[in-house]
Amino acid sequence: MLTSNELRRSFLDFFAARGHAVIPSAPLVPEHDPTVLFTTAGMHPLVPYLLGEPHPKGRRLTDVQLCLRTDDIDEVGDATHNTLFEMLGFWSLGDYGKQDSLRWTLAWFTDVLGLAQDRMAVTVFAGDADASPDDEAVRTWRDLGMPDARIHRLPKADNWWGPAGQTGPCGPDSEIFYDTLRQPCGPACRPGCGCGKWVEIGNNVFMEYHKTADGAFKQLAQRNIDVGLGLERLLMVLNDASDVYHTDLFTPIVACINVVATGSEGSDVNDQRLRRILADHVRAAVFVIADGVQPGNTEQGYICRRLIRRAVRSGHALGITGTMLRVVGQVVITTYREVYPQLGAHEDTILATLAREEDRFRQTLVRGLREFDRQVGELVDRGETVLPGTLIFRLFDTYGFPPSLTAELARERGLGADMAAYAARFAQHQAQSRQANAAKFAGGLADHSAATTRLHTATHLLHQALRDVLGDHVHQMGSNITPERLRFDFAHPSQPTPAEIAQVEAIVNQQIGRDLPVTMTLLPLNDALAQGALAFFGERYPDTVKVYRIGDYSLEVCGGPHVRATHELGGFQIIKVATIGQGVQRIRAVLA
Ligand code: SER
């Protein structure tokens, strides 16, 4: 059995021996980038150096970086997806090229770790209008003994990485997959397929481009290499484990959960999923709290609260009746404290925070679930299949159930959830409380009704979706919002086709469905623009501007106000499209 400590050490030693300076893991909450909630990749803290600023440790770097991604939170519970993970990374800042990076990655895998090359397959960038096919990567893989049948050329959607935000360094990549030897899911099964046969064990990114605010890909003067390997998955593959939870990173945590739950490992698939969610989320929450985050309703605090409440609910569904997060959290700290001393340093705070948030939610969880079950019983008796918005709202307002949790509970019972009606009810509630508090909102907020606020956030999603579908030349020419509808004018040569409009609508609804947090930061105007924030150039901006970020999807200079998370929006529908002048199109849209 290879341990996680041995694996981290082996990696750092191998790349240190090849001239890489070992640098420490940056904090999980980025220090110098207020526009992102968490560090999502090893390259994230290195962006300035990838863009050309000299790094004090030189041109070859390596580290093990803690990362947190919530995009795939619904996948957690399968064999390989985690919210928090450790990324083994190494970089060439304009030093060596892709031949060395691929050769060294493969040499570490095969010569040092003993992975079988004949169980590997790789993908490379097929080329498009922005960049040519990556023939050099293909040649290099051939030279390294990879047969053509296991070199897959794929488009940008598969083989282009970055930028991490809207703009920044990015480039074609080459991913390495390992065959678990499971049966393929069908004839189309190939590396990148999510069925579980192929596990991604490494990604070599050839960061030679800079995506600019206008959507162009400019070649960087400095040609970089950015390689990231997921520690959890690699450990799983190396130990022939069925999933990441059967590696030493998780076994003590899962063992603790098994004791607290029933005294033995669960066999039922759903039961196993709940145990994994509990393990994953408590582990992530421990690290997030260690970085100074407290559960709350905005930004990092909202993610922290969501992780904890989902963990509590999973434990409850497993039949755990007593409090549990403190004891599971304690095992997480013990498992990781040697490698991550911040856990030991903040042990008391971490455990007290977990216990407090669990207590708070538990007080209402049981009553809320009872209410949920009663209502679902009546609903099913009436032959209905969709949870009404009023119930979703009541569970949120009275029992603190995040709406995404209620939707999940409904799904488990084979029911839908009327999120649009929930959003409408929520907006009505907001309007009422705003009215009641009108005096307090001297800053003008009371002038903005909940309905216009929701439409305002929808406008930002629409703006980005139009750029995604029609191109980055799309920019705002005007906007007018009433409580009933939004109206958005933008530059585009011809009237969008019905298919394009359907696509834009689908994208906006998809982003709403992801329940993205909406956050605001104050930034110097130039910094905001440099980060790729969209701006309406018909307007004169002060030196310092408010920048609104909607998850990882939209970034825009704007005065606000906006909703707190996109679940408040409900269903988005475009009701009219018209050409109102040469090269100027107008869209009217509503929220259901
Ligand atoms: N940035 C790339 C990734 O996150 C490789 O490090 O996969």
Side-chain angles (χ1 to χ4, degrees), residues 124-142:
V124 299
F125 179 57
D128 63 13
D130 295 317
S132 45
D134 197 348
D135 294 331
E136 187 186 353
V138 172
R139 269 199 310 276
T140 305
W141 280 122
R142 280 185 188 142

Side-chain angles (χ1 to χ4, degrees), residues 237-252:
V237 161
L238 284 164
N239 288 308
D240 258 327
S242 51
D243 52 76
V244 293
Y245 301 91
H246 285 88
T247 65
D248 71 354
L249 296 169
F250 273 108
T251 42

Side-chain angles (χ1 to χ4, degrees), residues 41 43 69 87 161 203 205 226-228:
M43 55 74 75
R69 293 184 187 174
M87 189 181 279
W161 202 92
N203 188 12
V205 186
D226 156 41
V227 182

Side-chain angles (χ1 to χ4, degrees), residues 25-315:
S25 178
L28 209 43
V29 177
E31 271 176 320
H32 305 298
D33 187 352
T35 65
V36 286
L37 294 181
F38 292 104
T39 299
T40 57
M43 55 74 75
H44 212 147
L46 298 173
V47 167
Y49 311 107
L50 291 161
L51 291 175
E53 199 177 296
H55 192 284
K57 296 282 187 181
R59 290 180 168 275
R60 297 184 181 195
L61 306 174
T62 184
D63 73 9
V64 179
Q65 175 65 49
L66 279 170
C67 302
L68 185 84
R69 293 184 187 174
T70 52
D71 293 0
D72 292 336
I73 195 164
D74 288 332
E75 312 284 330
V76 174
D78 70 0
T80 56
H81 282 90
N82 291 126
T83 49
L84 178 101
F85 62 100
E86 289 173 79
M87 189 181 279
L88 307 172
F90 68 92
W91 292 271
S92 155
L93 302 172
D95 189 25
Y96 57 83
K98 64 181 79 167
Q99 292 183 17
D100 284 329
S101 87
L102 293 175
R103 185 165 56 82
W104 285 336
T105 308
L106 185 67
W108 184 60
F109 281 164
T110 54
D111 302 348
V112 181
L113 300 179
L115 285 175
Q117 187 172 342
D118 61 10
R119 279 174 67 177
M120 292 179 198
V122 299
T123 59
V124 299
F125 179 57
D128 63 13
D130 295 317
S132 45
D134 197 348
D135 294 331
E136 187 186 353
V138 172
R139 269 199 310 276
T140 305
W141 280 122
R142 280 185 188 142
D143 291 348
L144 292 169
M146 195 63 77
D148 277 352
R150 281 191 279 118
I151 303 175
H152 301 262
R153 295 169 189 256
L154 299 176
K156 206 183 233 122
D158 299 270
N159 276 89
W160 189 277
W161 202 92
Q166 298 277 323
T167 60
C170 57
D173 65 7
S174 180
E175 299 188 331
I176 307 172
F177 292 85
Y178 202 67
D179 188 353
T180 60
L181 303 183
R182 283 189 216 159
Q183 285 305 314
C185 60
C189 188
R190 58 154 174 82
C193 170
C195 75
K197 179 176 175 58
W198 294 98
V199 180
E200 185 203 325
I201 53 171
N203 188 12
N204 287 59
V205 186
F206 313 122
M207 285 204 159
E208 298 170 0
Y209 291 86
H210 185 192
K211 187 174 182 193
T212 56
D214 59 6
F217 292 93
K218 299 238 162 68
Q219 283 217 313
L220 279 171
Q222 175 174 296
R223 304 180 75 191
N224 307 290
I225 300 290
D226 156 41
V227 182
L229 321 170
L231 179 78
E232 286 79 357
R233 291 177 182 186
L234 205 46
L235 203 56
M236 160 188 139
V237 161
L238 284 164
N239 288 308
D240 258 327
S242 51
D243 52 76
V244 293
Y245 301 91
H246 285 88
T247 65
D248 71 354
L249 296 169
F250 273 108
T251 42
I253 305 168
V254 173
C256 170
I257 291 170
N258 289 342
V259 170
V260 182
T262 58
S264 63
E265 190 169 335
S267 49
D268 167 68
V269 175
N270 187 45
D271 182 302
Q272 190 181 51
R273 190 181 138 261
L274 293 167
R275 284 167 204 249
R276 290 173 176 177
I277 292 175
L278 181 53
D280 174 273
H281 287 14
V282 176
R283 185 177 76 137
V286 163
F287 276 92
V288 168
I289 299 166
D291 244 19
V293 176
Q294 284 287 301
N297 288 329
T298 55
E299 309 199 332
Q300 287 94 348
Y302 176 72
I303 306 286
C304 182
R305 172 159 285 166
R306 216 168 132 201
L307 288 167
I308 296 176
R309 294 197 169 185
R310 240 172 148 238
V312 174
R313 188 264 149 174
S314 300

Side-chain angles (χ1 to χ4, degrees), residues 545-565:
V545 292
K546 284 185 182 180
V547 178
Y548 277 87
R549 175 179 291 276
I550 308 180
D552 57 2
Y553 187 65
S554 145
L555 188 67
E556 199 159 325
V557 177
C558 169
H562 285 278
V563 302
R564 284 211 294 244

